[in-house]
Amino acid sequence: MITVDVTLNDAGQVTDVIMDGHAEHGEYGHDIVCAGASAVLFGSVNAIMGLTSEKPDIDYNDDGGYFHVRSVDTTNEQAQLILQAMLVSLQTIEEEYKENIRLNYK
């Protein structure tokens, strides 16, 4: 299962996101849950770096299964909007594939 741990501050802004694990919905390379969740996360981080002044701190495993993004300025409204959109997309995947992905808010 993919777990997505999302840390929010008191104002509901995203401060930290960790995606960990494997969906195990299909064969490696053919897993639509993994592909969808990864595309949402990578696309969102790329959008933050390409469309805003933010350069988040990123940590990941080369072989997949772990991605950590942090240090996004909570006062950067554009970056926060992209992160909120990312969460909506991940929640949509979670609604359809509850056995394969879970979002946890802290």
Side-chain angles (χ1 to χ4, degrees), residues 60-73:
Y60 60 92
N61 284 346
D62 288 332
D63 61 351
Y66 179 82
F67 193 93
H68 186 181
V69 59
R70 59 189 166 279
S71 302
V72 176
D73 185 356

Side-chain angles (χ1 to χ4, degrees), residues 48 52 54 72-73 76-84:
I48 289 169
T52 75
E54 292 298 306
V72 176
D73 185 356
N76 187 318
E77 291 180 16
Q78 291 175 316
Q80 285 297 314
L81 182 60
I82 293 168
L83 288 169
Q84 294 297 329

Side-chain angles (χ1 to χ4, degrees), residues 1-2 8 16-17 20 24 28 31 37-38 43 46 53 60 68-69 71 73 78 80 82-83 89 92 94 98 105:
M1 173 177 285
I2 295 172
L8 305 172
D16 194 73
V17 178
D20 191 26
E24 299 177 2
Y28 181 80
D31 188 328
S38 296
N46 287 337
S53 60
Y60 60 92
H68 186 181
V69 59
S71 302
D73 185 356
Q78 291 175 316
Q80 285 297 314
I82 293 168
L83 288 169
S89 295
T92 302
E94 180 187 38
K98 293 182 190 301
Y105 293 91

